[in-house]
Amino acid sequence: MTNYIVVTGGVLSSLGKGITSASVAALLGNSNCRVSMLKIDPYINVDPGTMSPLEHGEVFVTADGGETDLDLGHYERFINSNLSKRNNFTTGQIYQTVIERERRGDYLGKTIQVIPHITDEIVRRIKAAGKDADILVVELGGTVGDIEGLPFYEAVRQMKRQLKHKMFNIHVTLVPYISVADELKTKPTQHSVQELKRIGITPDMLVLRSEKPVPKEMRKKLSVACDVEFESIIEATDAKSIYEMPLKFFDNGILHPIARAFNYDELKPDLREWKKLVKAILEPRREVTIAFVGKYLELKESYKSLIEALTHAGAHTDCKINFRWADSEKLLDEGVEKTLTECDAILVPGGFGTRGIEGKIAAIKYAREHKKVFLGICLGMQLALIEFARNVLKIKDATSQEFDAEAKNPVIYLIDEFIDQTGNKQIRTHCSQFGATMRLGEYECNLLENTLMSKAYGGEKKIFERHRHRYEANAKYRDQFEASGIVVSGEAKGLIEAIELRDHPWFVAVQFHPEFTSRLQSPNRIILAFIENALISAEKRGK
Ligand code: GLN
């Protein structure tokens, strides 16, 4: 029988509800509980796949090909295990299911209403997500009182009544500091709890986000005013690294009330490894500077998993990662050499559309010619091939069909019109299982021996990494590439999945997104190798 912890938010958004949820789950997971997580998003999009990264941050891809909220990424990184499509749903999905059933006649002539039909579907999905877990941590997106959230709170209220001591609500609120009065204020928290109670939920725990420690007297006051036990009023002051949060929560006693509520013996997480890694993040002995050549730089959340993956690699190499943010649209004007020369390594991440590609290609050319440590990811690999085709193979009009559908030399080709090595057109049916036009989720990749890839992955012959792209490297040009210095170091079913340069110290580009499988406790291997090689180059440069 699964226990449920539902995390709700009050006062305002961006309080770190996702990190709070993930931290609690990490503590439980390290205490030998089978823990899983669920994010509920009250927006109407069916999934975030169609949202601009500048609107909603990154789209996180699960192993089973789900395009999910970026919080799922935090969850996997904190609990160090794979989640699935089932671990994130939206209002759009709930209504889609209910309306499809109504059209099929499943409701036998009934009038379809929010209560019970929508709420029943929400409860069904929450239970499905918790099926194999001792504890399911559910994060309810948005803030209490939002119109969009109401059916979800109602569903939680119903579950709470049914399950009684098997459901625990953590309400995350803000205790703002008013500098003119030099005071912390509890009123917004009180109002937020009143709003929650109005809906029918009395919180079991309050997590108080605050810039400054919340004094005991103030916590006592909140305990009385909000009807929450004093022991369950947990403060959460700002941290330097998100990975510190589980440690802070543990020190503040967050597990005691949870253990008591679920009738567990004391929960004793093993945090030794976690502590060591956090120490390396907070007090690194070395540093490297990475040029990050992207186009969604106004919202760094667009590159969330990648930035975190680099942090993990830093934690495992005792190294601080300094970012040199290079806007690919401005790079040519600002000067490629000037921007990149001081960096130890160059990273070109994934992306969509034509904007900024010439800047990225220029950065790749610079990395190739100046023997800079380089990692290209997804679009970064596609552009590495385009750069090589244009400047080494002298195919001046080499491009991707994404940028020119009528291209004469589509080095990067649309997935459905893929031409195999013998020149035959192949319809890639193994992709169509995911319905959409993108190749999504985990695919195998076979590694060539004695390559940088093979070395990075510890000599493994077959690896699994996650994809999210529509276009592929066109194998028609493969012979030409290989004859001129490109090594295809990863491939699967005739698809080029990874390339590197023969006459270069460390130049690797991959079609998949390695960042999606990186966790604090098990960093992604190719990103780790990238940082290790950036460190070697930093040392050579005498830093
Ligand atoms: N836009 C490219 C494609 O669709 C690359 C996608 C990506 O970098 N995620 O294939």
Side-chain angles (χ1 to χ4, degrees):
M1 274 279 276
T2 310
N3 290 319
Y4 298 87
I5 295 178
V6 176
V7 182
T8 55
V11 186
L12 40 85
S13 58
S14 301
L15 286 183
K17 223 172 348 120
I19 299 299
T20 302
S21 309
S23 300
V24 170
L27 290 174
L28 294 168
N30 282 300
S31 313
N32 282 330
C33 293
R34 281 184 311 155
V35 63
S36 189
M37 302 193 70
L38 168 68
K39 172 78 192 281
I40 300 179
D41 282 311
Y43 49 71
I44 298 174
N45 303 55
V46 170
D47 63 40
T50 51
M51 288 190 210
S52 158
L54 291 176
E55 175 99 4
H56 193 68
E58 162 190 280
V59 174
F60 184 77
V61 179
T62 53
D64 63 349
E67 294 184 283
T68 66
D69 187 79
L70 58 77
D71 273 317
L72 270 264
H74 284 311
Y75 299 171
E76 287 201 353
R77 291 189 280 273
F78 274 65
I79 65 176
N80 197 14
S81 68
N82 277 1
L83 295 171
S84 99
K85 285 179 195 174
R86 280 190 296 135
N87 301 85
N88 181 204
F89 64 80
T90 67
T91 296
Q93 284 175 30
I94 297 290
Y95 275 82
Q96 196 178 41
T97 308
V98 171
I99 290 170
E100 274 168 13
R101 269 194 219 148
E102 184 273 334
R103 292 288 84 185
R104 275 203 313 263
D106 289 5
Y107 295 108
L108 305 171
K110 283 261 183 301
T111 307
I112 311 306
Q113 295 182 299
V114 172
I115 306 172
H117 302 99
I118 295 296
T119 47
D120 280 357
E121 176 59 17
I122 295 169
V123 171
R124 189 188 68 75
R125 286 186 184 238
I126 294 176
K127 289 188 172 163
K131 202 165 57 66
D132 302 318
D134 297 330
I135 301 186
L136 179 75
V137 179
V138 183
E139 179 190 350
L140 197 42
T143 305
V144 61
D146 294 347
I147 290 180
E148 294 91 337
L150 282 173
F152 298 105
Y153 285 88
E154 170 58 18
V156 167
R157 185 195 66 76
Q158 291 176 14
M159 279 183 84
K160 220 173 169 217
R161 188 171 178 77
Q162 280 168 17
L163 296 168
K164 297 206 168 63
H165 61 276
K166 297 192 82 57
M167 184 173 252
F168 189 88
N169 167 242
I170 301 179
H171 193 54
V172 183
T173 73
L174 177 73
V175 177
Y177 171 68
I178 309 297
S179 57
V180 279
D182 188 25
E183 258 184 286
L184 288 163
K185 290 292 180 190
T186 61
K187 191 72 79 191
T189 299
Q190 295 185 44
H191 281 172
S192 168
V193 170
Q194 276 166 18
E195 186 62 25
L196 197 60
K197 285 185 177 167
R198 201 179 58 77
I199 299 172
I201 301 172
T202 300
D204 300 296
M205 176 181 278
L206 296 181
V207 166
L208 309 177
R209 292 284 292 111
S210 169
E211 279 174 61
K212 295 184 180 254
V214 184
K216 192 168 178 190
E217 283 312 309
M218 211 167 249
R219 282 182 279 137
K220 275 194 177 150
K221 179 172 149 192
L222 274 172
S223 163
V224 175
C226 300
D227 195 19
V228 174
E229 297 214 11
F230 178 68
E231 182 194 44
S232 303
I233 311 268
I234 307 290
E235 66 169 13
T237 44
D238 298 343
K240 284 202 200 73
S241 159
I242 55 172
Y243 298 103
E244 244 187 301
M245 288 314 293
L247 303 176
K248 282 191 169 223
F249 279 130
F250 178 71
D251 290 344
N252 291 342
I254 202 165
L255 289 182
H256 302 307
I258 295 175
R260 218 159 17 95
F262 294 152
N263 273 326
Y264 290 156
D265 295 337
E266 202 186 342
L267 290 164
K268 284 194 191 137
D270 180 354
L271 295 171
R272 280 170 298 178
E273 190 199 8
W274 195 280
K275 274 190 186 147
K276 207 179 92 208
L277 292 166
V278 168
K279 186 168 188 296
I281 294 176
L282 298 179
E283 299 158 20
R285 284 186 297 115
R286 310 190 277 180
E287 59 182 310
V288 286
T289 302
I290 307 290
F292 193 113
V293 188
K295 77 164 171 180
Y296 310 115
L297 298 180
E298 307 97 275
L299 186 68
K300 302 284 187 316
E301 299 269 287
S302 315
Y303 299 110
K304 192 84 217 169
S305 291
L306 188 48
I307 294 169
E308 294 305 323
L310 292 161
T311 307
H312 305 160
H316 285 262
T317 48
D318 212 352
C319 163
K320 173 168 189 259
I321 316 285
N322 301 312
F323 289 98
R324 171 81 171 87
W325 302 107
D327 185 331
S328 55
E329 283 183 276
K330 301 193 187 126
L331 191 62
L332 291 169
D333 291 340
E334 285 171 0
V336 179
E337 167 102 40
K338 192 167 139 240
T339 312
L340 302 178
T341 179
E342 285 306 314
C343 298
D344 303 310
I346 297 171
L347 177 63
V348 176
F352 290 84
T354 318
R355 209 159 49 80
I357 58 163
E358 293 306 327
K360 289 184 179 178
I361 289 175
I364 294 166
K365 181 167 189 277
Y366 184 85
R368 181 175 58 77
E369 291 178 344
H370 292 79
K371 310 261 187 254
K372 285 271 188 193
V373 171
F374 172 81
L375 180 63
I377 293 176
C378 205
L379 182 67
M381 178 183 110
Q382 299 176 352
L383 294 178
L385 287 171
I386 292 172
E387 189 280 318
F388 196 88
R390 285 186 190 172
N391 299 320
V392 180
L393 304 182
K394 303 292 177 208
I395 307 174
K396 286 289 165 214
D397 59 354
T399 186
S400 164
Q401 283 193 332
E402 181 174 8
F403 317 135
D404 176 7
E406 307 298 323
K408 275 215 250 354
N409 276 301
V411 169
I412 308 301
Y413 218 79
L414 192 62
I415 199 159
D416 288 333
E417 301 173 17
F418 182 75
I419 308 269
D420 71 14
Q421 276 160 287
T422 53
N424 291 324
K425 198 165 173 166
Q426 282 201 4
I427 308 292
R428 303 223 326 268
T429 46
H430 70 279
C431 300
S432 58
Q433 59 175 313
F434 297 116
T437 50
M438 273 205 259
R439 182 145 76 108
L440 284 169
E442 185 178 84
Y443 281 82
E444 65 175 41
C445 166
N446 302 306
L447 300 184
L448 187 69
E449 270 174 75
N450 299 320
T451 55
L452 299 173
M453 277 292 280
S454 160
K455 190 169 167 218
Y457 284 88
E460 274 176 58
K461 294 201 169 59
K462 192 196 282 288
I463 60 164
F464 291 87
E465 291 284 7
R466 299 185 196 170
H467 293 248
R468 182 172 186 253
H469 54 98
R470 199 166 276 122
Y471 299 86
E472 302 278 351
N474 191 341
K476 193 173 123 187
Y477 298 87
R478 180 168 171 167
D479 288 347
Q480 276 170 279
F481 280 130
E482 287 181 323
S484 304
I486 286 212
V487 178
V488 176
S489 51
E491 60 182 302
K493 300 199 171 96
L495 300 174
I496 297 172
E497 305 283 29
I499 58 158
E500 41 199 76
L501 285 181
R502 206 177 297 132
D503 302 318
H504 190 290
W506 209 89
F507 185 109
V508 176
V510 292
Q511 184 58 76
F512 51 79
H513 286 273
E515 66 271 29
F516 290 143
T517 53
S518 185
R519 282 97 192 247
L520 179 63
Q521 289 155 296
S522 55
N524 178 279
R525 306 296 288 268
I526 198 67
I527 294 175
L528 183 63
F530 173 62
I531 293 302
E532 282 166 352
N533 282 277
L535 271 165
I536 293 172
S537 117
E539 268 152 32
K540 273 204 196 120
R541 283 153 34 84
K543 282 178 32 179

PDB file of all heavy atoms in Angstrom, residues 349-353 377-380 382 402 412 438 468-472 511 513, ligand 1:
ATOM      1  N   PRO A 349      25.029  23.270 -27.389  1.00  0.00           N
ATOM      2  CA  PRO A 349      23.907  22.428 -26.964  1.00  0.00           C
ATOM      3  C   PRO A 349      22.876  22.243 -28.076  1.00  0.00           C
ATOM      4  O   PRO A 349      23.048  22.750 -29.183  1.00  0.00           O
ATOM      5  CB  PRO A 349      23.306  23.235 -25.819  1.00  0.00           C
ATOM      6  CG  PRO A 349      23.580  24.654 -26.183  1.00  0.00           C
ATOM      7  CD  PRO A 349      24.893  24.650 -26.915  1.00  0.00           C
ATOM      8  N   GLY A 350      21.785  21.565 -27.760  1.00  0.00           N
ATOM      9  CA  GLY A 350      20.711  21.352 -28.720  1.00  0.00           C
ATOM     10  C   GLY A 350      19.930  22.627 -28.976  1.00  0.00           C
ATOM     11  O   GLY A 350      20.100  23.631 -28.287  1.00  0.00           O
ATOM     12  N   GLY A 351      19.081  22.582 -29.994  1.00  0.00           N
ATOM     13  CA  GLY A 351      18.255  23.744 -30.300  1.00  0.00           C
ATOM     14  C   GLY A 351      17.388  23.483 -31.511  1.00  0.00           C
ATOM     15  O   GLY A 351      17.539  22.473 -32.197  1.00  0.00           O
ATOM     16  N   PHE A 352      16.495  24.410 -31.765  1.00  0.00           N
ATOM     17  CA  PHE A 352      15.560  24.264 -32.883  1.00  0.00           C
ATOM     18  C   PHE A 352      15.539  25.559 -33.698  1.00  0.00           C
ATOM     19  O   PHE A 352      15.650  26.646 -33.144  1.00  0.00           O
ATOM     20  CB  PHE A 352      14.153  23.963 -32.357  1.00  0.00           C
ATOM     21  CG  PHE A 352      14.043  22.579 -31.763  1.00  0.00           C
ATOM     22  CD1 PHE A 352      14.424  22.344 -30.447  1.00  0.00           C
ATOM     23  CD2 PHE A 352      13.607  21.512 -32.532  1.00  0.00           C
ATOM     24  CE1 PHE A 352      14.354  21.067 -29.903  1.00  0.00           C
ATOM     25  CE2 PHE A 352      13.529  20.241 -32.006  1.00  0.00           C
ATOM     26  CZ  PHE A 352      13.902  20.011 -30.684  1.00  0.00           C
ATOM     27  N   GLY A 353      15.389  25.411 -35.009  1.00  0.00           N
ATOM     28  CA  GLY A 353      15.198  26.577 -35.870  1.00  0.00           C
ATOM     29  C   GLY A 353      16.498  27.189 -36.343  1.00  0.00           C
ATOM     30  O   GLY A 353      17.592  26.835 -35.892  1.00  0.00           O
ATOM     31  N   ILE A 377      25.968  18.765 -28.868  1.00  0.00           N
ATOM     32  CA  ILE A 377      24.833  17.930 -28.464  1.00  0.00           C
ATOM     33  C   ILE A 377      23.667  18.153 -29.423  1.00  0.00           C
ATOM     34  O   ILE A 377      23.234  19.299 -29.629  1.00  0.00           O
ATOM     35  CB  ILE A 377      24.413  18.262 -27.017  1.00  0.00           C
ATOM     36  CG1 ILE A 377      25.518  17.835 -26.040  1.00  0.00           C
ATOM     37  CG2 ILE A 377      23.087  17.592 -26.664  1.00  0.00           C
ATOM     38  CD1 ILE A 377      25.258  18.192 -24.606  1.00  0.00           C
ATOM     39  N   CYS A 378      23.186  17.090 -30.008  1.00  0.00           N
ATOM     40  CA  CYS A 378      21.999  17.088 -30.863  1.00  0.00           C
ATOM     41  C   CYS A 378      22.159  18.099 -32.007  1.00  0.00           C
ATOM     42  O   CYS A 378      22.926  17.831 -32.931  1.00  0.00           O
ATOM     43  CB  CYS A 378      20.744  17.328 -30.030  1.00  0.00           C
ATOM     44  SG  CYS A 378      19.291  16.638 -30.824  1.00  0.00           S
ATOM     45  N   LEU A 379      21.529  19.262 -31.957  1.00  0.00           N
ATOM     46  CA  LEU A 379      21.775  20.245 -33.008  1.00  0.00           C
ATOM     47  C   LEU A 379      23.273  20.534 -33.103  1.00  0.00           C
ATOM     48  O   LEU A 379      23.806  20.788 -34.182  1.00  0.00           O
ATOM     49  CB  LEU A 379      21.009  21.547 -32.710  1.00  0.00           C
ATOM     50  CG  LEU A 379      21.156  22.646 -33.757  1.00  0.00           C
ATOM     51  CD1 LEU A 379      20.503  22.242 -35.071  1.00  0.00           C
ATOM     52  CD2 LEU A 379      20.551  23.968 -33.271  1.00  0.00           C
ATOM     53  N   GLY A 380      23.958  20.466 -31.963  1.00  0.00           N
ATOM     54  CA  GLY A 380      25.407  20.690 -31.937  1.00  0.00           C
ATOM     55  C   GLY A 380      26.155  19.676 -32.791  1.00  0.00           C
ATOM     56  O   GLY A 380      27.150  20.007 -33.445  1.00  0.00           O
ATOM     57  N   GLN A 382      24.703  18.027 -35.381  1.00  0.00           N
ATOM     58  CA  GLN A 382      24.262  18.284 -36.759  1.00  0.00           C
ATOM     59  C   GLN A 382      25.067  19.440 -37.355  1.00  0.00           C
ATOM     60  O   GLN A 382      25.524  19.382 -38.502  1.00  0.00           O
ATOM     61  CB  GLN A 382      22.764  18.595 -36.771  1.00  0.00           C
ATOM     62  CG  GLN A 382      21.919  17.417 -36.236  1.00  0.00           C
ATOM     63  CD  GLN A 382      20.432  17.737 -36.137  1.00  0.00           C
ATOM     64  OE1 GLN A 382      20.018  18.880 -36.314  1.00  0.00           O
ATOM     65  NE2 GLN A 382      19.619  16.720 -35.844  1.00  0.00           N
ATOM     66  N   GLU A 402      16.113  21.201 -41.957  1.00  0.00           N
ATOM     67  CA  GLU A 402      15.402  22.052 -40.997  1.00  0.00           C
ATOM     68  C   GLU A 402      15.522  23.528 -41.391  1.00  0.00           C
ATOM     69  O   GLU A 402      14.616  24.311 -41.166  1.00  0.00           O
ATOM     70  CB  GLU A 402      15.983  21.836 -39.588  1.00  0.00           C
ATOM     71  CG  GLU A 402      15.290  22.669 -38.525  1.00  0.00           C
ATOM     72  CD  GLU A 402      15.767  22.364 -37.107  1.00  0.00           C
ATOM     73  OE1 GLU A 402      16.749  21.603 -36.945  1.00  0.00           O
ATOM     74  OE2 GLU A 402      15.154  22.889 -36.169  1.00  0.00           O
ATOM     75  N   ILE A 412      22.066  16.997 -43.120  1.00  0.00           N
ATOM     76  CA  ILE A 412      21.118  16.618 -42.070  1.00  0.00           C
ATOM     77  C   ILE A 412      19.746  16.537 -42.723  1.00  0.00           C
ATOM     78  O   ILE A 412      19.319  17.462 -43.412  1.00  0.00           O
ATOM     79  CB  ILE A 412      21.124  17.646 -40.912  1.00  0.00           C
ATOM     80  CG1 ILE A 412      22.548  17.897 -40.402  1.00  0.00           C
ATOM     81  CG2 ILE A 412      20.195  17.186 -39.790  1.00  0.00           C
ATOM     82  CD1 ILE A 412      23.279  16.667 -39.892  1.00  0.00           C
ATOM     83  N   MET A 438       8.947  13.452 -33.863  1.00  0.00           N
ATOM     84  CA  MET A 438      10.310  13.492 -33.319  1.00  0.00           C
ATOM     85  C   MET A 438      10.736  12.116 -32.815  1.00  0.00           C
ATOM     86  O   MET A 438       9.923  11.328 -32.370  1.00  0.00           O
ATOM     87  CB  MET A 438      10.392  14.498 -32.187  1.00  0.00           C
ATOM     88  CG  MET A 438      10.680  15.882 -32.697  1.00  0.00           C
ATOM     89  SD  MET A 438      11.465  16.874 -31.449  1.00  0.00           S
ATOM     90  CE  MET A 438      10.087  17.809 -30.897  1.00  0.00           C
ATOM     91  N   ARG A 468      15.706  13.668 -28.568  1.00  0.00           N
ATOM     92  CA  ARG A 468      14.560  14.537 -28.862  1.00  0.00           C
ATOM     93  C   ARG A 468      14.906  15.386 -30.074  1.00  0.00           C
ATOM     94  O   ARG A 468      15.437  16.486 -29.964  1.00  0.00           O
ATOM     95  CB  ARG A 468      14.233  15.444 -27.676  1.00  0.00           C
ATOM     96  CG  ARG A 468      13.020  16.323 -27.953  1.00  0.00           C
ATOM     97  CD  ARG A 468      12.579  17.084 -26.695  1.00  0.00           C
ATOM     98  NE  ARG A 468      11.352  17.804 -26.945  1.00  0.00           N
ATOM     99  CZ  ARG A 468      11.282  19.126 -27.089  1.00  0.00           C
ATOM    100  NH1 ARG A 468      12.350  19.881 -26.998  1.00  0.00           N
ATOM    101  NH2 ARG A 468      10.114  19.701 -27.322  1.00  0.00           N
ATOM    102  N   HIS A 469      14.672  14.837 -31.233  1.00  0.00           N
ATOM    103  CA  HIS A 469      14.984  15.578 -32.462  1.00  0.00           C
ATOM    104  C   HIS A 469      14.213  15.007 -33.640  1.00  0.00           C
ATOM    105  O   HIS A 469      13.712  13.878 -33.582  1.00  0.00           O
ATOM    106  CB  HIS A 469      16.487  15.530 -32.751  1.00  0.00           C
ATOM    107  CG  HIS A 469      17.036  14.146 -32.800  1.00  0.00           C
ATOM    108  ND1 HIS A 469      17.237  13.466 -33.963  1.00  0.00           N
ATOM    109  CD2 HIS A 469      17.388  13.294 -31.806  1.00  0.00           C
ATOM    110  CE1 HIS A 469      17.703  12.256 -33.689  1.00  0.00           C
ATOM    111  NE2 HIS A 469      17.799  12.117 -32.395  1.00  0.00           N
ATOM    112  N   ARG A 470      14.128  15.812 -34.668  1.00  0.00           N
ATOM    113  CA  ARG A 470      13.348  15.420 -35.839  1.00  0.00           C
ATOM    114  C   ARG A 470      14.281  14.990 -36.976  1.00  0.00           C
ATOM    115  O   ARG A 470      13.945  14.165 -37.793  1.00  0.00           O
ATOM    116  CB  ARG A 470      12.529  16.643 -36.258  1.00  0.00           C
ATOM    117  CG  ARG A 470      11.354  16.361 -37.129  1.00  0.00           C
ATOM    118  CD  ARG A 470      10.431  17.578 -37.187  1.00  0.00           C
ATOM    119  NE  ARG A 470       9.512  17.607 -36.053  1.00  0.00           N
ATOM    120  CZ  ARG A 470       9.405  18.600 -35.171  1.00  0.00           C
ATOM    121  NH1 ARG A 470      10.186  19.660 -35.257  1.00  0.00           N
ATOM    122  NH2 ARG A 470       8.525  18.541 -34.207  1.00  0.00           N
ATOM    123  N   TYR A 471      15.459  15.564 -37.021  1.00  0.00           N
ATOM    124  CA  TYR A 471      16.370  15.357 -38.154  1.00  0.00           C
ATOM    125  C   TYR A 471      17.515  14.433 -37.757  1.00  0.00           C
ATOM    126  O   TYR A 471      17.811  14.268 -36.572  1.00  0.00           O
ATOM    127  CB  TYR A 471      16.900  16.716 -38.639  1.00  0.00           C
ATOM    128  CG  TYR A 471      15.786  17.613 -39.112  1.00  0.00           C
ATOM    129  CD1 TYR A 471      15.091  18.426 -38.219  1.00  0.00           C
ATOM    130  CD2 TYR A 471      15.381  17.614 -40.443  1.00  0.00           C
ATOM    131  CE1 TYR A 471      14.030  19.217 -38.633  1.00  0.00           C
ATOM    132  CE2 TYR A 471      14.322  18.405 -40.872  1.00  0.00           C
ATOM    133  CZ  TYR A 471      13.656  19.205 -39.953  1.00  0.00           C
ATOM    134  OH  TYR A 471      12.610  19.982 -40.372  1.00  0.00           O
ATOM    135  N   GLU A 472      18.162  13.867 -38.784  1.00  0.00           N
ATOM    136  CA  GLU A 472      19.250  12.907 -38.549  1.00  0.00           C
ATOM    137  C   GLU A 472      20.414  13.235 -39.482  1.00  0.00           C
ATOM    138  O   GLU A 472      20.228  13.852 -40.536  1.00  0.00           O
ATOM    139  CB  GLU A 472      18.785  11.486 -38.900  1.00  0.00           C
ATOM    140  CG  GLU A 472      17.571  10.998 -38.150  1.00  0.00           C
ATOM    141  CD  GLU A 472      17.887  10.469 -36.760  1.00  0.00           C
ATOM    142  OE1 GLU A 472      19.085  10.309 -36.427  1.00  0.00           O
ATOM    143  OE2 GLU A 472      16.935  10.234 -36.004  1.00  0.00           O
ATOM    144  N   GLN A 511      24.304  12.758 -31.156  1.00  0.00           N
ATOM    145  CA  GLN A 511      22.953  13.072 -31.618  1.00  0.00           C
ATOM    146  C   GLN A 511      21.950  13.043 -30.460  1.00  0.00           C
ATOM    147  O   GLN A 511      20.920  13.681 -30.509  1.00  0.00           O
ATOM    148  CB  GLN A 511      22.551  12.085 -32.724  1.00  0.00           C
ATOM    149  CG  GLN A 511      21.206  12.360 -33.370  1.00  0.00           C
ATOM    150  CD  GLN A 511      21.118  13.733 -33.990  1.00  0.00           C
ATOM    151  OE1 GLN A 511      21.655  13.995 -35.052  1.00  0.00           O
ATOM    152  NE2 GLN A 511      20.452  14.657 -33.312  1.00  0.00           N
ATOM    153  N   HIS A 513      20.823  13.392 -26.229  1.00  0.00           N
ATOM    154  CA  HIS A 513      20.981  14.399 -25.167  1.00  0.00           C
ATOM    155  C   HIS A 513      21.532  13.727 -23.914  1.00  0.00           C
ATOM    156  O   HIS A 513      20.752  13.223 -23.087  1.00  0.00           O
ATOM    157  CB  HIS A 513      19.629  15.034 -24.831  1.00  0.00           C
ATOM    158  CG  HIS A 513      19.133  15.993 -25.856  1.00  0.00           C
ATOM    159  ND1 HIS A 513      19.478  17.330 -25.856  1.00  0.00           N
ATOM    160  CD2 HIS A 513      18.335  15.814 -26.925  1.00  0.00           C
ATOM    161  CE1 HIS A 513      18.901  17.927 -26.879  1.00  0.00           C
ATOM    162  NE2 HIS A 513      18.195  17.046 -27.551  1.00  0.00           N
TER     163      HIS A 513
HETATM  164  N1  GLN B   1      16.453  20.824 -34.415  1.00  0.00           N
HETATM  165  C1  GLN B   1      17.145  19.602 -34.530  1.00  0.00           C
HETATM  166  C2  GLN B   1      16.223  18.445 -34.882  1.00  0.00           C
HETATM  167  O1  GLN B   1      15.042  18.542 -34.741  1.00  0.00           O
HETATM  168  C3  GLN B   1      17.922  19.307 -33.267  1.00  0.00           C
HETATM  169  C4  GLN B   1      17.042  19.118 -32.080  1.00  0.00           C
HETATM  170  C5  GLN B   1      17.766  19.230 -30.777  1.00  0.00           C
HETATM  171  O2  GLN B   1      18.864  19.768 -30.694  1.00  0.00           O
HETATM  172  N2  GLN B   1      17.145  18.766 -29.731  1.00  0.00           N
HETATM  173  O3  GLN B   1      16.679  17.416 -35.304  1.00  0.00           O
END
